[in-house]
Structure formats: structure tokens, C-alpha cells
Amino acid sequence: MNYSFLVLTSNSALPNKNAQFQFPKLSSVWFVLVTVFLSTLTPKFYVALTGTSSLISGLIFIFEWWYFQKYGTSFIEQVSVSHLRPLIGGVENSPPVPGFSANNGENETNRQSLSECKVWRNPLNLFRGAEYSRYTWVTGKEPLTYYDMNLSAQDHQTFFTCDTDSLRPSDTVMQKAWRERNPQARIKAAYQALELDNDCATAYVLLAEEEATTIIHAEKYFKQALKAGETVYRKSQHCHPQNSQHEAQLRRDTNVLVYVKRRLAMCARKLGRIKEAVKMMRDLMKEFPLLSMLNIHENLLEALLELQAYADVQAVLAKYDDISLPKSAAICYTAALLKARAVSDRFSPEAASRRGLSTAEINAVEAIHRAVEFNPHVPKYLLEMKSLILPPEHILKRGDSEAVAYAFFHLQHWKRIEGALNLLHCTWEGTFRMIPYPLEKGHLFYPYPSCTETADRELLPTFHDVSVYPQKELPFFIHFTAGLCSFSAMLAVLTHQFPELMVIFAKAVSIQPLG
């Protein structure tokens, strides 16, 4: 073994006159080891190394891209923030300071965000058996998500059950039926309830929604449910003592009656009996004026638009398009449609740029901007820039799910008015210039909620391309993994083509820092 790197000092040079060895610097040892190791590597090793690095970085890039497209965020960034940062002490949990204005403002923002992201029942939702199931039979695709159907099951239990169900055997059976996940089990339970009580209104409701394969068949079931529901409702009214159980029973019977009448009106609308449907909706709103949260006026608006009764539509808007009431895409876009109807037939962007906009045209453009600010996803469906799907049973206001539900029923009304879609096409994108930072500040409404994408992905089927607003920039780690993949692939190709030259380059790069 070569010990030439050890230096022996002379006795005269040492103060204690004892001979000592002086060990070399650690960097010199590493230099020798790295030199010996690199000299044993062959060009094949470098080709395998660069090729493997390119493959791994490419797989990471593909996974990052897929994860971003599916969930709207970077997987590496999410793992770093959720798991790694707490381990290295990157998050400090400080106790909240009472009365601190910044915290109070943040809490207000959070409460507003939660209220904005509340999921609502779609007032125009389709029939499971007669419409959604037929779509599945034809296309083989499921139009409803599990999350959406689970919300409907919760709604049914809230609307159609109460604490006194144990007093009636048929209601006890139906209480279990609404909790069943299997549709066939629910239908079987509904028939069992009818065997116990032929006047079980909720059993007819379930059969109308899920077993009936046509609207005519569903309407027959709902008429039987109406007859049974009115009988039970009158009994609940007459024997209504002042106790909580009977109040809950009356409330349940009221919910059943309102639901059945509304669905009967929707059946009449779908079967072409529009005037009959309008009358039924008006009567229902007069009989139960306190149930405005069910948004029956949106059903009425759509039916009136089909009749082209625009004066009646304006009267409904005057009552419900109020600052104190919650807005919806149906309210905002119907108001914009009526304003556009006054000018759209003679509107020309070239003429407007020469002479300027008239007062009526300015009102129409402002109404369109207001509607687009409330829900920016709708125009792409109305202008057929995105394909429509069946609307879900629940919607998120200001989200893509609400846009799908609105456009599904109202696209025909926009097409019927000459020039309305042309006016929308020419003006809708101007809204985004008025609101450059929609998540921070709104113009006529609250800032656009940042939670809509997540909720819409739960409500809409996987085969639908969810509309995202505002468009998210690609995360840093996607750019990083793409650059790493490209760089390693380039090295792999160069190493394969010029192995000897790349080996010399690798050795030079590795030895240079140690020198």
C-alpha cells in the first residue's frame, strides 16, 4: 500500500522533539476515492443512469399532470404542505387573539365562503327512472355521482320522515326505504308499504321517481300520491294539538303535499301542457308562500319563457330579483335575456363601435356583465363552446353545476330570441376586465368563492370536463418535473450517442468541485 501521502516531520522541527505523522485533509481523501470510483465506471453505466433518471422524472411529471387535472392542485406541493412542513416546524400554532381585527376579518371571509359554497337542491331536477336511468340505458354512463345521490337520500329523509313514523307501519317501512342504497330494494320496500296502507303517499312518490320509466307513468303515480297526500294532510290539520310530535307530522305531510304538487306541475310542463303547469305553480306559491326556499319561482320562470309570456316573466323577476333574496343563475341570466331582447334583433358590433351604445344597449350589456359576474361558467354552454350533460340533482350556486342546470333548460329560450346569443358572444368577456382579481374583490357580488371547483367535481360525473374559474396557473412542480424530464432525456440521448465524450464530461464535472 502506498503511504507516500503521509509526511514525516523532522525531530528538529518539533518542539517536543518527538516524531509525529500529519494526516492529509479530508477533501484529498475524497478526491482519491472519487477518482478511483469514476475510473471504474463504463459508458454503459452512464447510459443506464441517464435513461433511468429520464424515465423516473417522466413518470413523476405524468402523475403530477394527471393529479392537477383531476384535483386542481400539485401532489408534491400538497404533501409538502400537509405532512413535511409540520415535521420540520414550518407551521407555528399561535393562540387566537380576541378582538384582533385581522382574525375577525378572516373569520368573516371564511363564513362568507362557507355560505357561498352551500349545495342547493336543483329546482328543475330530472326524474330518476324516466330520465336519468334512460340515459344510462342508452349511453352506459352514470349521470349522477354517489355524492349527489347521497345528498338526495338525506333530503328525502328530511322531507318525508318524522318522529311519529313508528305510529304507522307503512311510514316505518318507508323510513327504512329512504335509507336503502339499492334502487331495487327501495322499490320493493315501497310496494311493501302500499300493502300495509294503500294511502301511503311517500310510497307513490318513490315509485314515481325511480320505477316509472316514462313521464306519463310517473304522472300517474304522482296523482295517486296527491290523492293520498291530501287526505293525510287534512287529517293532520284537523287533529293538530300543540305538541312537538304532531307539529313534526304536520310539517312532514306539508312537505309531501308540496313536493307532489310541484312534480305534477313539472310533469305537465314536460308533457307540453304549459298553461296547466303555470297555473299549478302559481296556485302552489299562493297556497304555501313561506316555502320560497324551494325556489318554485324558477320552475315558473322557465315555463313562462316557454310560453313567451315575457311580461309575466318580468313580473316574477320584479318580486324575486331583490337585493335581500339569494340570487341564482336563473334570476340573473333571465333578467339579462329580457334586457337583451329589447335590442338584440338590431344589434351590430360594427355599428355600435361607430356610433356608440344606446341607453337600452348599455342596460343590456350591464345586465349581461352582472349575470356573468354571478356565474361565469354559463356563457360557454349557451354559446355551445362546451358540451352539455344532464344536470345533477344538486347544484352549487355560482359553480359549473349550476351553469349546466341553467343552460340545459334555458338554452332554447336564448335561441328563440333573435340576436340574443350574438349580443352575449360580443359582450360577455368584458366582465373579466372589470374584475381582474375575482377571488379578492367583486363588483356587484361578493368575491367569487374559491371552493366551487372541489364541490363541482363531487357533483358532476367524471366524464364531464369541469369548468374552472378563474383558470389556475400550472403549479411550480409541474414546470420543475417537466424541465427535469427534458434535461435528463437530453442527457440520455447524448450519452447514448457520444458515450466516451459524456464519460469524460461527467468525470470532469464530478472532480472539478473537489479540486
Side-chain angles (χ1 to χ4, degrees), residues 122-125 262-263 265-266 269 274 277-278 281 284-285 294-306 316 330 409-410:
N122 182 4
L124 293 153
N125 66 305
R262 180 182 194 166
R263 294 304 257 179
M266 294 176 69
R269 163 67 184 92
I274 315 297
V278 168
M281 293 173 191
L284 184 59
M285 294 168 66
L294 298 177
N295 297 323
I296 302 174
H297 59 275
E298 293 193 15
N299 300 83
L300 179 60
L301 280 175
E302 196 279 327
L304 291 173
L305 286 172
E306 181 65 20
V316 175
F409 293 100
H410 288 262

Side-chain angles (χ1 to χ4, degrees), residues 197-268:
D197 182 5
N198 197 41
D199 289 333
C200 183
T202 53
Y204 289 118
V205 169
L206 192 148
L207 294 176
E209 292 286 352
E210 302 200 22
E211 191 198 38
T213 56
T214 63
I215 300 298
I216 295 176
H217 193 189
E219 187 180 35
K220 291 180 180 178
Y221 276 131
F222 276 122
K223 286 181 178 179
Q224 290 176 288
L226 177 63
K227 182 179 179 181
E230 286 179 334
T231 302
V232 175
Y233 177 70
R234 282 193 294 268
K235 290 181 180 178
S236 299
Q237 277 186 313
H238 289 126
C239 58
H240 175 49
Q242 296 298 323
N243 65 69
S244 58
Q245 287 189 342
H246 284 83
E247 286 180 3
Q249 183 175 339
L250 178 62
R251 185 164 53 250
R252 190 275 308 275
D253 295 338
T254 303
N255 291 337
V256 172
L257 188 61
V258 172
Y259 185 91
V260 170
K261 288 187 174 182
R262 180 182 194 166
R263 294 304 257 179
L264 276 173
M266 294 176 69
C267 288

Side-chain angles (χ1 to χ4, degrees), residues 282 301 304 309-317:
R282 289 188 185 278
L301 280 175
L304 291 173
Y310 298 113
D312 293 335
V313 172
Q314 185 61 57
V316 175
L317 288 177

Side-chain angles (χ1 to χ4, degrees), residues 27-198:
S27 60
S28 301
V29 178
W30 279 111
F31 176 78
V32 174
L33 294 176
V34 170
T35 304
V36 173
F37 176 72
L38 292 176
S39 63
T40 61
L41 298 178
T42 62
K44 291 182 179 180
F45 170 80
Y46 290 101
V47 173
L49 177 63
T50 53
T52 305
S53 302
S54 176
L55 175 62
I56 293 175
S57 57
L59 292 176
I60 294 174
F61 169 68
I62 293 172
F63 177 77
E64 272 285 299
W65 179 264
W66 170 82
Y67 195 88
F68 175 74
Q69 292 296 320
K70 185 173 180 63
Y71 299 105
T73 186
S74 166
F75 175 77
I76 300 176
E77 181 180 354
Q78 187 177 21
V79 170
S80 302
V81 172
S82 303
H83 299 87
L84 299 183
R85 184 180 293 180
L87 294 178
I88 62 177
V91 178
E92 296 182 359
N93 296 324
S94 57
V97 180
F100 186 52
S101 59
N103 289 342
N104 291 340
E106 184 178 351
N107 292 337
E108 289 295 331
T109 303
N110 291 338
R111 281 195 293 269
Q112 179 60 40
S113 176
L114 289 174
S115 63
E116 287 287 343
C117 292
K118 177 184 176 182
V119 175
W120 299 73
R121 187 162 181 84
N122 182 4
L124 293 153
N125 66 305
L126 305 179
F127 293 85
R128 286 257 184 111
E131 293 173 304
Y132 288 120
S133 295
R134 289 168 67 89
Y135 177 84
T136 303
W137 298 336
V138 173
T139 64
K141 297 178 180 180
E142 289 291 342
L144 297 176
T145 64
Y146 174 78
Y147 176 69
D148 192 14
M149 291 188 289
N150 187 49
L151 289 177
S152 296
Q154 295 177 21
D155 291 341
H156 294 152
Q157 292 176 49
T158 303
F159 292 157
F160 303 145
T161 63
C162 66
D163 296 337
T164 61
D165 284 345
S166 58
L167 302 177
R168 292 187 291 193
S170 58
D171 289 337
T172 304
V173 174
M174 288 306 301
Q175 192 174 48
K176 296 178 181 178
W178 296 120
R179 296 173 183 171
E180 287 285 350
R181 291 187 178 183
N182 188 348
Q184 296 304 319
R186 289 195 294 270
I187 293 173
K188 182 179 179 181
Y191 278 115
Q192 290 176 355
L194 289 175
E195 290 177 359
L196 296 172
D197 182 5
N198 197 41

Side-chain angles (χ1 to χ4, degrees), residues 336-358:
L337 179 61
L338 293 189
K339 295 285 182 65
R341 175 176 171 267
V343 297
S344 60
D345 58 339
R346 54 186 180 277
F347 176 79
S348 170
E350 294 80 9
S353 61
R354 289 195 306 268
R355 59 173 171 78
L357 294 175
S358 65

